[in-house]
Amino acid sequence: MPRLLAGLVDDAAVFPPGSAALPDAVTAHHRHRAGWYADLVGPLLLPASTLPDLPELLAPEATLAVGVIGDVPVGRLEAALAEADPRLTVRQVEAPVAKRGEDPQPGLADLVKLAERLGGTVYAEVPLTFGLMGALDALAEARAGGLPVAAKFRTGGLAAELFPTPVELAAVICACRDRDLPFKLTAGLHHAIRHRDPETGFTHHGFVNVLAATLAATGGAEVDGVAELLAATDPLRVVELARSHREAERPLWVGYGSCSISEPLTDLIRLGLVNGGFEE
């Protein structure tokens, strides 16, 4: 697995649209961790509310690296983490700080306080609406002060307005670049190259587009150039940019959650960015 792609895809099997049952997701994740493509796969992402159900699914000697998604209030989230089975290694905690149109600062302040008491990285999911830049400033300030915090953005969903335009996403990537602020993405990144979903009519961002756009941004490109890469539907340019950085560490973009591991892996193989065969 090229270094550029290491840990790119977190295993979000239990989340829509995959919505796998928890026992099936745990079994499949162990299989991914044992596969030849294991270096592509990040932790298993699980809602905080499911943590009490995990012990009975793990063998006595088993361990499991997880990312915990905050589907409960911050106070209960901290309690859920404290009570988690010791066989779990919590690699990261991700939680929304506000709904679209709400001021993100109060929720962000609560999450930063949580980060002060936890060991792993905390990702604040910030809506791409009101108060975005102020929230990024606050995160960057907390990170500069030594806290393991970073940003998370939603790039899709069940409504058209949840899909940022290439210019909007480019502006966010450049804003994170300017603040030296790592970020994660979630939702909508089902395939490598930007495409229109025939069932919904929504145009989805491609994860290789995002990879190329982030490489360009960290190389000094401004919003218009970054947006051009995000908008590309011809794979040639974005794939070549990614290929030229295959053995470099991926800058800024930590990765994204996908309910399927096979889909992104298959796309990477078809585009020639990964060598190998895949068996589900």
Side-chain angles (χ1 to χ4, degrees), residues 95-118:
V97 298
K99 297 178 181 178
R100 287 175 63 86
E102 292 180 346
D103 183 359
Q105 292 293 344
L108 183 55
D110 289 340
L111 206 59
V112 167
K113 290 177 182 176
L114 177 64
E116 293 172 350
R117 300 188 289 269
L118 297 179

Side-chain angles (χ1 to χ4, degrees), residues 54-132:
L54 278 172
E56 64 185 38
L57 302 177
L58 299 178
E61 71 284 357
T63 59
L64 184 65
V66 298
V68 177
I69 308 299
D71 63 337
V72 298
V74 170
R76 289 173 55 195
L77 176 57
E78 186 171 6
L81 293 168
E83 296 166 2
D85 190 286
R87 289 171 293 177
L88 300 179
T89 301
V90 178
R91 291 259 300 271
Q92 61 214 42
V93 176
E94 307 174 20
V97 298
K99 297 178 181 178
R100 287 175 63 86
E102 292 180 346
D103 183 359
Q105 292 293 344
L108 183 55
D110 289 340
L111 206 59
V112 167
K113 290 177 182 176
L114 177 64
E116 293 172 350
R117 300 188 289 269
L118 297 179
T121 301
V122 174
Y123 292 92
E125 183 180 321
V126 183
L128 301 181
T129 55
F130 172 75
L132 170 62

Side-chain angles (χ1 to χ4, degrees), residues 192-193 208-209 212 229-230 232 234-243:
I193 304 300
V208 172
N209 292 78
L229 291 168
L230 290 170
D234 181 346
L236 183 60
R237 183 179 176 192
V238 294
V239 168
E240 286 305 312
L241 183 54
R243 183 176 286 117

